Amino acid sequence: MPTAPRVRQGMTLGLVFGAVLFAGAASGAWGEPEGSTRAPSSSDARPPADLTGADLTPQQARQLVGSSGDRWAAYLSPQQYADLTGGRYAGVGLSVDREAGGPTLVAEVLPGSPAARAGIAAGERLVTVDGTPAEQLPVTEVVSRLRGGPAGSAVAVGVRGDEGGPVRQLTLTRAELAAREVEVDHPAPGVARIAVHAFTEGVADQVRAAAADARGVVLDLRGNSGGLVAEAVATASVFLDGGPVASYQANGEHRELTATGGGSTPVPLVVLVDGGTMSAAELLAGALQDRGRAVLVGSRTFGKGTVQQPSRLADGSVLELTVGRYQTPAGRSPEGTGVQPDVPAAGEDPRALALRVLEGLSSSAPASPAAPAAPASGPPAGSAAP
């Protein structure tokens, strides 16, 4: 087990939660201590557990993560877990996107961040991380190297401009940053573009407020690699009037995640997705697509559809190991395949394309409230969420 905690891809690369990147890994073997409370993590569907993480020491938890063979496994200190769920993190302030077989590109740079101060710009290519070619590394390892230490630690990157040229060798010092999980603009009269970068506490309420007076919504999930699945389900509830959001198998039991009633169903909705849309964000996009509630625009999502649940140790740290996979309301699993858009961007500006699709939806007859789609198997749509 390396000195730094093992990191998993689950939030926008290089932009979130310092030493740990949450796509939500979890424990089916180790459960939450009785009476404890916590928010579920990315792709966490709160499966039942038989044992308690309090039985493990932090050293044993780290050893378990290192030997589990679970690519999404992680051990988080109490502060790392608090930062993760609360929207603060130590990082360099850049997000990265990689399409299948393509280069690793800088998708966004946070203003004022270490990456911005070093002159890195969106659209540039991340060539190396700590001396290793980025394309030779799984995305999870790229994430691990970008986030492999606390604030004040350094990571070396090689960056090339979007038009080629020499590789710039830079050393970035990680800093504590405040996450900007929801950003809103109005690209056309009555239209709200709501960009959700990660699902941390309170995100669903921000989305609900941003969509309240809109006559059309573009929900931008590009580069969103997950977070708290409860927030993703609550975000689905903004646009759905009850019914299924996802289902999962864990410990031999079939469970349902359902939206609450009363969501805004008549407002036209387009969801932007790309290869950086992951985990809980894929769960949300797939649910809105299966329910006929939204048109997905962009490119195929990442393909992370596993189920995890954090397990809190006696000292407040958290262990996570994967326990299963979730399915969309129509019974699809994004694991390994991702979610395909209804309208591929195919080289077009995805934002401009989304607005054209939204205009087409707005000019059509108002849609009736979306009827719950029956899952491929399992309990009926009205079953209670776990």
Side-chain angles (χ1 to χ4, degrees):
M1 181 68 187
T3 302
R6 182 171 174 174
V7 184
R8 296 161 295 112
Q9 180 167 6
M11 292 300 201
T12 308
L13 306 186
L15 241 177
V16 205
F17 308 124
V20 186
L21 197 61
F22 248 61
S27 172
W30 314 102
E32 191 80 334
E34 185 175 356
S36 64
T37 60
R38 52 97 179 146
S41 68
S42 171
S43 293
D44 162 37
R46 305 190 88 150
D50 300 321
L51 300 177
T52 172
D55 297 331
L56 296 177
T57 66
Q59 182 179 3
Q60 288 172 328
R62 291 189 184 97
Q63 291 173 342
L64 180 59
V65 168
S67 63
S68 68
D70 181 352
R71 66 182 295 204
W72 305 116
Y75 168 80
L76 309 174
S77 71
Q79 187 59 53
Q80 287 168 343
Y81 188 69
D83 288 347
L84 171 73
T85 58
R88 293 197 65 83
Y89 61 96
V92 298
L94 63 83
S95 64
V96 179
D97 186 21
R98 180 195 287 172
E99 298 291 342
T104 305
L105 300 176
V106 177
E108 182 181 3
V109 178
L110 187 67
S113 66
R117 291 194 297 270
I120 299 176
E124 293 192 298
R125 179 172 176 173
L126 183 65
V127 181
T128 61
V129 182
D130 280 338
T132 303
E135 271 66 62
Q136 292 182 12
L137 299 171
V139 175
T140 50
E141 181 64 18
V142 173
V143 172
S144 177
R145 295 186 182 214
L146 285 173
R147 308 247 183 128
S153 61
V155 57
V157 298
V159 180
R160 176 179 286 132
D162 57 357
E163 297 181 357
V167 176
R168 309 194 313 279
Q169 299 294 339
L170 304 169
T171 299
L172 306 178
T173 301
R174 300 177 181 93
E176 185 175 348
L177 303 170
R180 300 177 304 151
E181 308 301 16
V182 179
E183 296 182 276
V184 182
D185 58 36
H186 298 86
V191 173
R193 185 188 74 93
I194 308 172
V196 180
H197 302 301
F199 291 105
T200 55
E201 293 174 357
V203 160
D205 288 340
Q206 295 178 60
V207 172
R208 187 180 303 276
D213 298 323
R215 297 197 300 271
V217 172
V218 175
L219 182 62
D220 194 342
L221 299 181
R222 293 176 297 170
N224 181 321
S225 44
L228 303 176
V229 79
E231 291 291 336
V233 173
T235 300
S237 300
V238 175
F239 304 104
L240 295 172
D241 187 12
V245 175
S247 61
Y248 63 93
Q249 291 279 347
N251 297 338
E253 295 186 39
H254 185 92
R255 302 268 178 156
E256 287 278 334
L257 298 171
T258 58
T260 57
S264 176
T265 57
V267 175
L269 176 64
V270 170
V271 177
L272 273 169
V273 295
D274 66 4
T277 304
M278 301 164 56
S279 196
E282 292 178 278
L283 180 153
L284 173 60
L288 294 173
Q289 184 181 54
D290 282 1
R291 296 285 301 277
R293 180 60 186 90
V295 175
L296 269 57
V297 173
S299 55
R300 183 178 69 88
T301 65
F302 178 79
K304 195 263 181 195
T306 50
V307 176
Q308 296 89 19
Q309 174 181 325
S311 173
R312 195 174 297 277
L313 278 62
D315 69 344
S317 58
V318 171
L319 168 70
E320 297 198 336
L321 297 172
T322 301
V323 297
R325 296 183 181 183
Y326 70 80
Q327 293 182 322
T328 66
R332 298 180 294 160
S333 171
E335 181 67 20
T337 59
V339 177
Q340 295 288 347
D342 300 300
V343 183
E348 292 189 63
D349 177 3
R351 289 183 57 168
L353 180 58
L355 289 176
R356 292 204 305 273
V357 172
L358 187 66
E359 183 179 3
L361 293 175
S362 300
S363 63
S364 63
S368 59
S377 62
S383 61

